[in-house]
Amino acid sequence: MPILEIKNVSKFFGGLAANSDVSFSMEQGMIMGLIGPNGAGKTTLFNCITGYYPPSKGEVIFNGRRMNGLQPDKVCKLGMVRTWQKVRPLAKLSVVDNVMVGALVRTISLKTARDMAMEQLKVVRMEHRADFLAGGLPIGERKKLEVARALATQPKLLLLDEVMGGLNPAESDEIIQLILDIKAQGLTQMVIEHDMKAIMRISDRIVVLTSGEKLTEGTPQEVVSNQDVIDAYLGESHA
Amino acid sequence: MNKRMLKAAIGLIVLAGLLVVPRFVESPYALHMMILLFLSVSQGQSWNILGGYAGQYSVGHAAYFGVGAYTTMMLMYSKQVAPWVGVWAGVAAVIAVALVIGSICFRLRGPYFVLASIAVAEIMRLSAINLTTLTNGAEGILVTEIPAFKIGERVVTDFLTKVPFYYIGLFLALLTLAIAYWVQHSKLGYYFQAIREDQDAAHSLGIHISVYKNIGLVISAVLTSLAGSFYGIYVGFVDPPTVLGLDVSVQIMLICIIGGMGTIWGPVLGSLLLVPLSEALRSNMITEGLVKIGLVSADSKVGLFLKENLAHAHVLIYGILVVLVILFMPDGLMGFVKKLASRRKREAA
């Protein structure tokens, strides 16, 4: 059974179709890359999947359960969690407290939550930052904090929205390694990314969106050799 | 570890000191000041739970203060219900009010929530003025005789002096502090702060926003209601402006904002500053002090001017103080103290 099925999902804002008729499914343990030019509807799709917007049409099925209309907190409890393209640290809380907020969805005990949080900080290699204020971190560490906090909710599916955006190449490489480490632990991930080289390296399959519609889907090799993708990204004159 | 023991020791000494004060202090005025201080601490700390930790700036806490005070007083006045029973009726009424208000107002964020909270308190105030059969309207309710509190046949207290009120006030202040401490060191506190810092992020991490906001509101409202009932019984009189007015709401907020939001000791510091200050201004103590130390002569133009006007200017001075604190201590007195402490630590290192 696929862990996530997107069936004919559309999202309209007034007359504008931010997503129209998008369908694909994900198997347990895979990394799905989600790419497309700016405004293609990638983040809107994330919002539809995680309960921030109800889809206007279509269904989101997670682990066999229909998710339409569920609120984000319920979605998180069921095991699906997202990070934010524009990072959202809880600025006046320490790094470990930030991650603890994530862990507390699974426990009421602060001590257990702290242990769980420290474990995730180790995964993102930020144990030494535990007592720093989250608001004072540089962007690279804020992005990793987002990931640690999401992981602390013990998800079955992790949705990463441009975790490499705005990072330098060394930091991006670190994130790529992190995503592969998380995959090695068996966690399923959906990744929105602009950096083509990065997305090629980590994805098992890639879905390409343009103007809200699914253009194509396939392995990284299939996608880069697809004429429609080349047109959409580079413009027809380059073809 | 040593530092923690030191803190605990200081705490115990202060507590023991507070417990024996009425044995040595006979001046009703001094006891009165202490009672006002306790009341202020519990008001400020109650607001802190919702405003400071959960970041929901209610400017309508007079609603809960007033409903608590009025319920207890109305029951005592018209049905001769003993206040220690009436208090719980007040709490029940306030929970009902808070849940109705919460389920409506928490749909709003930021400044819109602030406006809605003011509106709710105003509705309560206008109701108290106009529902004359229940509340006596603008005349207010005066109850001077409190029945003696007995356990079995033994009279514990007859409420004839200020001493029982001193202990009730102290208990109330300690109770609110303890609850705030518990909130801060529990899942609730983490969730409140997550909602304060970023509501959308909190939502994505599995926090049911409106449930937790309402929990914060109910805790805060119940404690405010206890303070209101205590105030009503202590003063023996409630009317709409003194327990339901907008300035009551503002006063409650200021204790916390000036002292330091989202901290345990902030409201205590705020009370230690504001209660004596407002008393000194009201009773013209400042003018007298200035005359005594010889800065201003009592018969000079300035002296006469101050004597005439300073007592009436206490709201103005309050306002100036708030502006100064917000300008120079954006995290309140508590934040300022912490900053000083960490600077000293850094210099020592």
Side-chain angles (χ1 to χ4, degrees):
Chain A
M1 191 182 70
I3 184 166
L4 181 73
E5 276 181 275
I6 312 287
K7 286 187 177 169
N8 309 101
V9 165
S10 300
K11 177 68 196 172
F12 305 111
F13 294 108
L16 179 82
N19 286 136
S20 65
D21 213 19
V22 177
S23 302
F24 60 89
S25 70
M26 287 175 66
E27 297 300 326
Q28 180 74 44
M30 73 180 291
I31 294 180
M32 176 70 92
L34 193 57
I35 62 171
N38 286 328
K42 305 180 292 289
T43 298
T44 304
L45 188 62
F46 260 36
N47 285 336
C48 285
I49 297 174
T50 50
Y52 278 87
Y53 303 144
S56 309
K57 278 186 195 159
E59 284 184 312
V60 175
I61 301 191
F62 175 63
N63 265 336
R65 177 171 180 159
R66 192 169 183 274
M67 304 295 279
N68 296 41
L70 295 185
Q71 288 290 309
D73 57 289
K74 182 78 187 167
V75 170
C76 173
K77 283 176 190 137
L78 290 172
M80 209 162 32
V81 70
R82 57 96 55 92
T83 66
W84 302 83
Q85 178 180 0
K86 184 178 167 292
V87 288
R88 293 174 172 273
L90 310 173
K92 285 191 182 162
L93 270 59
S94 71
V95 166
V96 67
D97 285 349
N98 264 261
V99 185
M100 279 174 72
V101 169
L104 281 167
V105 76
R106 302 292 171 214
T107 174
I108 195 168
S109 145
L110 291 191
K111 199 183 164 307
T112 316
R114 186 171 298 272
D115 293 344
M116 287 162 73
M118 286 311 293
E119 209 173 293
Q120 297 309 334
L121 283 177
K122 262 182 211 134
V123 172
V124 302
R125 297 186 190 83
M126 276 178 63
E127 315 96 292
H128 61 293
R129 290 290 202 212
D131 295 324
F132 280 60
L133 277 189
L137 293 177
I139 182 70
E141 291 188 327
R142 286 182 188 214
K143 295 267 181 180
K144 290 200 289 184
L145 175 59
E146 286 271 315
V147 178
R149 196 172 64 183
L151 285 175
T153 66
Q154 302 194 329
K156 301 186 184 84
L157 173 60
L158 177 64
L159 297 103
L160 300 173
D161 194 349
E162 285 198 34
V163 269
M164 286 172 240
L167 300 189
N168 66 37
E171 288 169 332
S172 290
D173 280 345
E174 203 182 337
I175 298 271
I176 290 174
Q177 194 51 52
L178 175 60
I179 291 174
L180 293 174
D181 289 348
I182 295 169
K183 185 191 179 186
Q185 290 173 12
L187 186 59
T188 319
Q189 299 172 76
M190 195 191 304
V191 182
I192 295 181
E193 204 53 64
H194 270 301
D195 181 344
M196 286 302 282
K197 247 175 36 199
I199 203 88
M200 300 287 296
R201 258 180 74 191
I202 56 177
S203 306
D204 296 300
R205 288 180 77 76
I206 292 176
V207 166
V208 186
L209 292 180
T210 51
S211 334
E213 292 173 33
K214 184 169 113 174
L215 186 66
T216 186
E217 179 189 343
T219 63
Q221 284 69 33
E222 287 166 4
V223 165
V224 281
S225 54
N226 183 305
Q227 191 58 46
D228 290 338
V229 177
I230 296 168
D231 290 349
Y233 262 87
L234 302 172
E236 282 175 44
S237 59
H238 288 271
Chain B
M1 206 58 197
N2 246 337
K3 213 173 167 190
R4 256 174 87 183
M5 276 163 71
L6 185 73
K7 270 187 187 170
I10 292 174
L12 279 178
I13 291 168
V14 171
L15 183 59
L18 286 172
L19 281 173
V20 298
V21 160
R23 286 204 161 269
F24 301 103
V25 178
E26 275 177 10
S27 145
Y29 183 68
L31 287 181
H32 173 68
M33 288 302 295
M34 292 301 287
I35 293 168
L36 287 187
L37 191 69
F38 297 147
L39 183 73
S40 165
V41 168
S42 64
Q43 283 177 317
Q45 191 60 272
S46 313
W47 188 87
N48 191 25
I49 290 173
L50 182 69
Y53 286 100
Q56 307 302 307
Y57 299 160
S58 156
V59 193
H61 257 49
Y64 315 114
F65 189 76
V67 168
Y70 257 102
T71 310
T72 314
M73 292 295 277
M74 279 171 351
L75 286 172
M76 194 153 64
Y77 179 73
S78 55
K79 300 263 184 281
Q80 284 77 47
V81 176
W84 50 91
V85 179
V87 162
W88 304 110
V91 166
V94 159
I95 291 177
V97 171
L99 285 175
V100 172
I101 294 176
S103 58
I104 300 167
C105 294
F106 281 141
R107 289 160 199 265
L108 306 167
R109 286 195 197 186
Y112 303 101
F113 173 74
V114 171
L115 289 178
S117 71
I118 295 175
V120 168
E122 283 297 282
I123 291 170
M124 292 295 163
R125 187 178 67 86
L126 293 170
S127 307
I129 291 176
N130 291 301
L131 296 172
T132 41
T133 45
L134 271 177
T135 62
N136 260 359
E139 270 178 47
I141 300 174
L142 181 71
V143 180
T144 43
E145 271 180 44
I146 304 170
F149 183 60
K150 294 180 194 168
I151 295 178
E153 284 304 299
R154 210 172 75 88
V155 176
V156 179
T157 173
D158 45 17
F159 297 104
L160 291 179
T161 66
K162 291 196 186 298
V163 176
F165 293 106
Y166 176 92
Y167 284 113
I168 298 170
L170 177 60
F171 172 75
L172 193 61
L174 291 175
L175 175 75
T176 13
L177 281 173
I179 288 178
Y181 182 87
W182 169 74
V183 165
Q184 191 181 346
H185 295 87
S186 71
K187 181 169 172 171
L188 268 185
Y190 276 79
Y191 274 21
F192 288 170
Q193 293 181 71
I195 291 172
R196 178 189 71 201
E197 292 297 314
D198 191 323
Q199 188 169 318
D200 288 322
H203 207 178
S204 78
L205 295 169
I207 300 174
H208 196 303
I209 303 292
S210 58
V211 164
Y212 281 92
K213 280 185 182 175
N214 276 300
I215 292 175
L217 175 62
V218 167
I219 296 175
S220 177
V222 165
L223 292 173
T224 308
S225 149
L226 290 177
S229 299
F230 173 65
Y231 171 87
I233 300 161
Y234 174 57
V235 176
F237 174 71
V238 291
D239 71 348
T242 51
V243 296
L244 284 164
L246 181 60
D247 52 336
V248 177
S249 298
V250 173
Q251 170 84 27
I252 292 175
M253 280 178 80
L254 283 186
I255 299 162
C256 187
I257 294 178
I258 290 183
M261 290 190 283
T263 60
I264 298 286
W265 296 110
V268 179
L269 282 184
S271 302
L272 283 172
L273 177 71
L274 290 186
V275 171
L277 178 77
S278 106
E279 196 57 27
L281 286 169
R282 217 188 316 249
S283 61
N284 240 340
M285 234 184 265
I286 290 184
T287 315
E288 282 164 25
L290 288 175
V291 169
K292 226 176 230 167
I293 59 172
L295 259 180
V296 181
S297 99
D299 314 318
S300 70
K301 258 187 185 167
V302 180
L304 287 173
F305 176 81
L306 286 179
K307 206 168 187 181
E308 192 87 335
N309 295 303
L310 203 56
H312 304 296
H314 84 272
V315 177
L316 176 73
I317 293 176
Y318 236 79
I320 294 172
L321 187 72
V322 175
V323 172
L324 288 178
V325 167
I326 289 170
L327 271 179
F328 297 109
M329 309 176 193
D331 294 320
L333 291 172
M334 195 63 202
F336 187 67
V337 170
K338 273 187 189 163
K339 218 196 244 166
L340 282 186
S342 71
R343 190 179 299 166
R344 268 183 54 185
K345 217 186 238 172
R346 234 180 302 135
E347 276 167 11

